[in-house]
Amino acid sequence: MTRLVDVPGMAALLRQVGVAPFMRELAARIRADYLRWPAFEKSARLASHSPIGVIELMPVADAARYAFKYVNGHPGNTVLGLPTVMAFGVLADVATGYPRLMSELTLTTAMRTAATSVVAAAALARPGATSMALIGNGAQSEFQALAFHDMLGIEEVRLFDVDRQATAKLLRNLAHAAPTLRTVVAESTAAAVRGADIVTTVTADKAYATIVTPDMIEAGMHLNAVGGDCPGKTEIHPAVLRQARIVVEYEPQSRIEGDIQQLPADFPVVELWQVLAGREPGRESPRQVTVFDSVGFALEDYSVLCLVEELAEKHGIGAELPLIATGCDPKDLYAVALGKDGATLREAA
């Protein structure tokens, strides 16, 4: 049987475990898996683009487990009452190919993105950072704010979004989830960024945008650029990138999808695993500007699927799904189709 963790199941799991503890454990898993970088078979995700969005498949595997995620990005979905990002994933045994887990990954993509942001910021931001600007207050913003508050000690978050209702929503949720976190609503991106130790951009428009421009940059800032994650979608002005030390997840993918798509193909960048493993320095000086150009990589989904499987089994969350026909002659699929030989039509579905 394949364990299915759907959205109600994931919500039940998070009620038992807690959102902040889940992201804390997830950040530790992601860091540990990046330190095993050579053990993984990696590739850039397979993307199908349209003028209004993208649908992607993201595979990765080590010697024991294979994982993939199906995910979309359609900024216009909110007017249809649908999320901008929707995802699910599968975790399978490499030895047999048997799918162990099928899980929703819409909620968990937001959490793994925030956890990865913190892993990178811990290596790149100035020690003792206490303030963060959060540009883009949509579906992922709560998780970013909570993760940085809980794991990196951010005390104040300055909020800006062109959609005032999104900011109001974020304020309500943070007041409940993180009452000790100071929140300041800014009137512009520039006002939010001014004096911030960390700047997180998590906007959704599929456009060559310049959310952060050179005049906003101050010495020692760390930019956590999350929203630019497909061709033709950026957030950071190229002049900002040229003056910064840039860290990416997987260079072949980031060259196509990240903010660095605006730069020459030979512009130097460093992969996150190299920094975490001590093979390359992260921040080189207190005044250096650093950028984590994050597009999301399949290794992070592997980490979260492994964690979901472990916690779901521990807490009895999820349903046993007869996804694969078993209990029958594996050479006689025709009998399965007829509901014979110990199998049912439902098991064959």
Side-chain angles (χ1 to χ4, degrees), residues 12-32:
L13 180 61
L14 292 174
R15 284 194 298 271
Q16 291 197 40
V17 175
V19 172
F22 182 92
M23 288 196 292
R24 206 177 303 138
E25 174 61 22
L26 179 54
R29 296 286 186 105
I30 289 171
R31 189 179 192 281

Side-chain angles (χ1 to χ4, degrees), residues 52-56 71-75 77 84-86 206 233:
I52 57 174
V54 62
I55 297 173
E56 300 167 328
V71 62
N72 79 302
H74 286 73
N77 271 3
T84 298
V85 175
M86 298 176 284
K206 188 178 181 182
K233 184 181 178 195

Side-chain angles (χ1 to χ4, degrees), residues 19 24 123 140 198 213 303 318 333:
V19 172
R24 206 177 303 138
Q140 294 202 23
I198 297 171
T213 52
S303 301
L333 284 178

Side-chain angles (χ1 to χ4, degrees), residues 29-253:
R29 296 286 186 105
I30 289 171
R31 189 179 192 281
D33 285 333
Y34 266 106
L35 290 172
R36 297 197 299 122
W37 185 260
F40 288 92
E41 181 181 342
K42 301 169 286 290
S43 64
R45 55 190 165 206
L46 178 64
S48 178
H49 294 279
S50 72
I52 57 174
V54 62
I55 297 173
E56 300 167 328
L57 291 177
M58 301 172 61
V60 72
D62 63 8
R65 298 285 184 267
Y66 172 93
F68 80 84
K69 179 169 78 172
Y70 166 100
V71 62
N72 79 302
H74 286 73
N77 271 3
T78 52
V79 300
L80 304 174
L82 293 172
T84 298
V85 175
M86 298 176 284
F88 68 89
V90 171
L91 185 68
D93 282 325
V94 167
T96 64
Y98 194 90
R100 303 168 57 91
L101 173 73
M102 177 177 286
S103 176
E104 81 79 35
L105 286 184
T106 306
L107 286 170
T108 33
T109 289
M111 290 186 285
R112 72 85 154 128
T113 301
T116 304
S117 295
V118 169
V119 169
L124 297 173
R126 287 179 298 188
T130 60
S131 62
M132 181 171 78
L134 186 49
I135 313 302
N137 301 162
Q140 294 202 23
S141 58
E142 286 86 354
F143 301 100
Q144 291 282 336
L146 290 172
F148 275 86
H149 178 54
D150 179 65
M151 288 183 270
L152 212 64
I154 291 298
E155 299 171 357
E156 179 180 277
V157 61
R158 300 140 183 210
L159 314 177
F160 177 72
D161 196 304
V162 294
D163 181 355
R164 297 295 184 95
Q165 292 183 343
T167 302
K169 173 271 306 180
L170 177 57
L171 284 170
R172 291 193 303 270
N173 289 336
L174 290 180
H176 173 73
T180 61
L181 177 63
R182 292 196 303 272
T183 54
V184 177
V185 178
E187 293 301 313
S188 66
T189 297
V193 166
R194 192 174 302 119
D197 297 310
I198 297 171
V199 176
T200 290
T201 55
V202 59
T203 61
D205 284 345
K206 188 178 181 182
Y208 284 113
T210 51
I211 307 299
V212 177
T213 52
D215 56 297
M216 302 178 191
I217 300 300
E218 299 174 13
M221 271 183 174
H222 171 61
L223 276 63
N224 178 42
V226 177
D229 59 1
C230 71
K233 184 181 178 195
T234 64
E235 296 179 311
I236 311 300
H237 193 286
V240 173
L241 299 172
R242 291 191 191 100
Q243 66 175 288
R245 181 162 180 78
I246 303 172
V247 174
V248 300
E249 289 143 314
Y250 181 54
E251 185 176 348
Q253 181 173 293

Side-chain angles (χ1 to χ4, degrees), residues 283-326:
R283 170 172 293 276
E284 297 171 306
S285 72
R287 294 184 60 80
Q288 186 176 47
V289 175
T290 56
V291 175
F292 179 46
D293 186 7
S294 175
V295 300
F297 185 56
L299 178 61
E300 299 146 21
D301 303 309
Y302 170 98
S303 301
V304 78
L305 285 166
C306 289
L307 179 59
V308 168
E309 181 187 39
E310 180 180 309
L311 292 177
E313 184 174 347
K314 177 181 178 180
H315 294 282
I317 299 293
E320 294 298 319
L321 183 68
L323 185 66
I324 304 299
T326 58

